[in-house]
């Protein structure tokens, strides 16, 4: 799920940036530092949407660096157990398949793929129903349900399932909402 | 039905639903408990009047939306100043506007899913077939124990329990046999290619680095410089044809003692289209035992696996699956490493033969084993067959009908039957003997002056050096004996042995 939240961060700025563009430099550095990172509490920081306020800078002794407390608004993405996500399949093997929903990697074990879908090896490995009407292979889009999440310092990893009603390959992209 | 703490309204509504289901199910059976009968009646009453039921349903929805938002707030309250992107104001307002309820249906669904998944986990005990990053791949539960075999080459944190490996192998084998394929495990260095560091290139090999050298044309497509790894790699002649043809008969793995980064780079050279190996690349870090290769990390039934490797010692447990390859030494450093004094192929500006080199020979063997395995005359049941037996059968044809006596090959007090040459000869289908008699066809000797050697010359039997056996082993064919005559031993070593 996406959230729009306010976060705070202490930014250290080199004295060479002091001047007219100080604020821009600060924001640029903030974006570089924060966007794309991940924390267990908030999930992935997708984008910074605005700066709430920049606090008073504190000059550090000896180095000349200044620390500013910056409050900023950002969009974060955090998957939850039980959430339904749409994801793109990135790898298929005999164990199941891996899919990606933006920065989140999801593994769907073959225990959690409907029993009528069988693994087919070859140069384009895939899971196919016996009548061949449904096929999951690399770059397929699937709708899946998260049943477990694990958050590391730099990545979020999830276990998903497509063994449930209305889950699986999204055949018609127009119906996705 | 167990009530979940913190969401009494929601669980009671799902309780309602469960009761309704129960009632529906029980209505077909004979014995109906008093309570549920009443409930059933209630449901029927509400069903009678459409508008009435609609009102009831919307009421229920309202309640559960309230609850759902509560649950949502509860689950996210630990985050600083959270604002659900759709708007928390809408969320608060929704209780008074029925038309907005639909916007939150998906959240409701989520809440329900949460409930369902929790209860289902509690209901059926998961066997935890494997773990990925500490989570069960079947139920998503977090478990800390690090049991099972690591399959780092599929995913860095993947571990599988033994039962699951057996299940996967079983399932995969059936699938594979349907496609008339077997497994083939390939080594990289000295089997499919040869690599050397920039710093180890000798003066005679300098032309390899010179883009203007006339040899570059012939080497195009098989010699690769990898500056970021400080390495030069030469692919073995015939390797592309080999992989192409073998991929029709086998599901192929790369299994190397090299590092992962190196293995991936080499796989890229061998298989730029990524059609042969997919993610089946096993490197040093994936082995479960140090300095040993094992089929335990290969998701293939041992009875259907063939291995190509130049180093026999690393496959202690799987000797029956192994096809030994003659080492491919292209670079001088590689020859030096294995103690060869002669000039390397690169220094001589030559290469292995393309059409009848080691890979072409072994491809024929692989084809032979494959066609024996899938021989229709033996019936349609392939599952009970063993590729190792087929390999043994093919191998035992090589020196069939030969009877071999060894002379001055084994150390004096060595049990002859345990010597690797003796065992090799028997594997190749020859019979071995310690004494000469008229049925003996070959005498393998290191010295022309021994009693048995003299007997061989006298009786007009083949007198050959031990290399003949090794050549037959690598080339899968009885070699012309004239090419392996026993040379006269110089006097000096003789005096040493006495």
């Amino acid at each position: 799920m996406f959230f729009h939240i306010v976060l705070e961060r202490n930014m250290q700025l080199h004295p060479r940036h002091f001047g007219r563009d100080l604020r821009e430099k600060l924001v640029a550095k903030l974006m570089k530092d924060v966007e794309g990172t991940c924390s267990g509490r908030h999930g992935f920081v997708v984008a910074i949407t605005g700066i709430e306020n920049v606090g008073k800078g504190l000059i550090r002794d000896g180095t000349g660096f200044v620390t500013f407390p910056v409050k900023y608004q950002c969009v974060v993405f955090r998957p939850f157990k039980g959430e339904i996500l749409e994801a793109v399949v990135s790898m298929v093997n005999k164990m199941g398949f891996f899919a990606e929903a933006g920065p989140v990697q999801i593994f769907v074990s073959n225990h959690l793929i409907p029993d009528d879908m069988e693994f087919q090896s070859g140069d384009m490995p895939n899971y196919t129903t016996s009548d061949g009407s449904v096929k999951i292979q690399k770059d397929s889009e699937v709708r899946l349900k998260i049943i477990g999440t694990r958050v590391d310092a730099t990545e979020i990893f999830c276990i998903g399932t497509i063994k449930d009603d209305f889950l699986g390959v999204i055949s018609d992209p127009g119906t996705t909402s | 039905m167990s009530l979940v703490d913190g969401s009494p309204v929601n669980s009671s509504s799902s309780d309602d639903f469960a009761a309704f289901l129960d009632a529906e199910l029980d209505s077909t059976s004979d014995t109906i408990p008093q309570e549920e009968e009443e409930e059933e009646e209630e449901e029927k009453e509400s069903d009678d009047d459409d508008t009435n039921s609609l009102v009831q349903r919307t009421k229920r929805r309202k309640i559960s939306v309230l609850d759902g938002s509560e649950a949502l707030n509860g689950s996210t309250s630990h985050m600083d100043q959270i604002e659900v992107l759709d708007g928390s104001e809408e969320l608060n307002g929704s209780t008074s506007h029925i038309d907005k309820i639909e916007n939150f249906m998906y959240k409701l669904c989520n809440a329900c899913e949460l409930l369902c998944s929790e209860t289902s986990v509690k209901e059926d005990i998961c066997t935890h077939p494997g773990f990925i990053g500490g989570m069960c791949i079947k139920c998503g539960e977090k478990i800390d124990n690090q049991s099972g075999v690591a399959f780092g080459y599929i995913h860095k944190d993947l571990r599988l329990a033994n039962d699951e490996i057996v299940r996967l192998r079983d399932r995969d084998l059936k699938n594979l046999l349907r496609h008339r394929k077997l497994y083939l495990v390939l080594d990289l260095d000295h089997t499919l290619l040869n690599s050397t560091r920039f710093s180890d290139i000798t003066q005679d090999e300098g032309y390899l680095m010179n883009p203007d050298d006339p040899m570059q044309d012939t080497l195009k497509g098989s010699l690769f410089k990898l500056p970021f790894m400080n390495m030069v790699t030469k692919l073995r002649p015939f390797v592309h044809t080999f992989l192409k043809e073998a991929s029709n008969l086998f599901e192929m793995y790369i299994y190397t003692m090299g590092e992962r980064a190196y293995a991936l780079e080499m796989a890229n050279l061998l298989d730029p289209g990524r059609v042969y190996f997919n993610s089946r690349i096993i490197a040093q870090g994936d082995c479960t035992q140090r300095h040993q290769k094992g089929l335990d990390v290969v998701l293939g039934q041992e009875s259907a696996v063939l291995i190509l490797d130049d180093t026999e010692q690393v496959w202690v447990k799987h000797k029956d699956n192994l096809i030994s390859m003659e080492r491919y030494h292209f670079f001088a450093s590689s020859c030096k490493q294995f103690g060869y004094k002669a000039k390397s192929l690169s220094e001589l500006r030559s290469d292995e033969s393309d059409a009848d080199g080691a890979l072409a020979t072994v491809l024929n063997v692989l084809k032979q084993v494959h066609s024996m395995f899938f021989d229709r005359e033996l019936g349609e049941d392939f599952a009970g067959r063993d590729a190792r037996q087929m390999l043994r059968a093919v191998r035992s044809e090589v020196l069939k009908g030969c009877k071999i006596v060894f002379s001055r090959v084994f150390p004096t007090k060595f049990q002859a039957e345990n010597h690797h040459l003796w065992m090799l000869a028997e594997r190749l289908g020859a019979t071995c003997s310690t004494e000469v008699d008229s049925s003996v066809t070959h005498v393998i000797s290191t010295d022309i002056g021994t009693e048995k050697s003299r007997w061989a010359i006298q009786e007009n039997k083949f007198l050959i050096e031990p290399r003949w056996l090794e050549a037959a082993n690598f080339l899968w064919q009885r070699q012309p004996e004239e090419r392996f005559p026993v040379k006269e031993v110089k006097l000096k070593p003789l005096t040493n042995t006495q």
Side-chain angles (χ1 to χ4, degrees), chain B residues 87-124:
Chain B
S88 58
E89 281 166 24
E90 270 184 12
L91 217 144
N92 294 333
S94 67
T95 48
S96 54
H97 302 291
I98 292 169
D99 52 343
K100 281 192 178 174
I101 286 173
E102 277 181 17
N103 295 338
F104 295 95
M105 278 311 287
Y106 78 98
K107 272 174 203 145
L108 221 169
C109 287
N110 279 351
C112 288
E113 302 275 7
L114 261 169
L115 254 173
C116 292
S117 63
E118 271 167 29
T119 48
S120 70
V121 167
K122 275 170 204 157
E123 273 162 19
D124 43 55

Side-chain angles (χ1 to χ4, degrees), chain A residues 3-4 41-42 81 93-95 98 105 109-112 119 125 145 147-150 155 157 159, chain B residues 78 80 83 113-114 129 132-133 137-138 142 154-156 164 167-168 172 175 251 253 278 299:
Chain A
F3 299 94
H4 194 195
R41 224 162 141 194
H42 306 106
K81 202 170 155 184
N93 60 37
K94 55 188 91 170
M95 298 278 314
F98 291 88
Q105 225 198 356
S109 150
N110 60 14
H111 290 278
L112 301 173
F119 178 69
K145 189 172 82 179
I147 60 163
T149 63
R150 201 193 60 157
E155 59 164 16
F157 193 84
I159 302 286
Chain B
H78 62 280
D80 324 276
E83 220 182 315
E113 302 275 7
L114 261 169
I132 199 158
I137 57 167
K138 195 173 174 186
K142 281 189 181 131
I154 296 176
H155 187 274
K156 63 177 164 41
E164 175 71 356
R167 190 189 73 93
L168 280 170
D172 198 55
N175 197 344
E251 183 180 282
Y253 283 79
N278 208 328
L299 284 175

Side-chain angles (χ1 to χ4, degrees), chain B residues 450-464:
Chain B
T450 65
E451 200 179 317
K452 284 169 187 164
S453 301
R454 286 204 299 272
W455 175 85
I457 295 165
Q458 197 183 337
E459 297 286 314
N460 209 9
K461 307 281 185 190
F462 292 116
L463 179 64
I464 45 194

Side-chain angles (χ1 to χ4, degrees), chain B residues 21 83 108 115 128 131 184 203 229 237 269 278 285 293 333 348 362 403 405 417 419 428 460 464 479 484:
Chain B
L21 271 179
E83 220 182 315
L108 221 169
L115 254 173
H128 302 317
F131 304 97
L184 180 63
Q203 219 164 24
M229 294 178 102
L269 297 182
N278 208 328
K293 291 179 177 180
S333 66
L348 297 168
V362 91
K403 188 164 181 185
V405 168
E417 289 83 6
H419 195 269
L428 292 170
N460 209 9
I464 45 194
Q479 294 301 300
F484 299 89

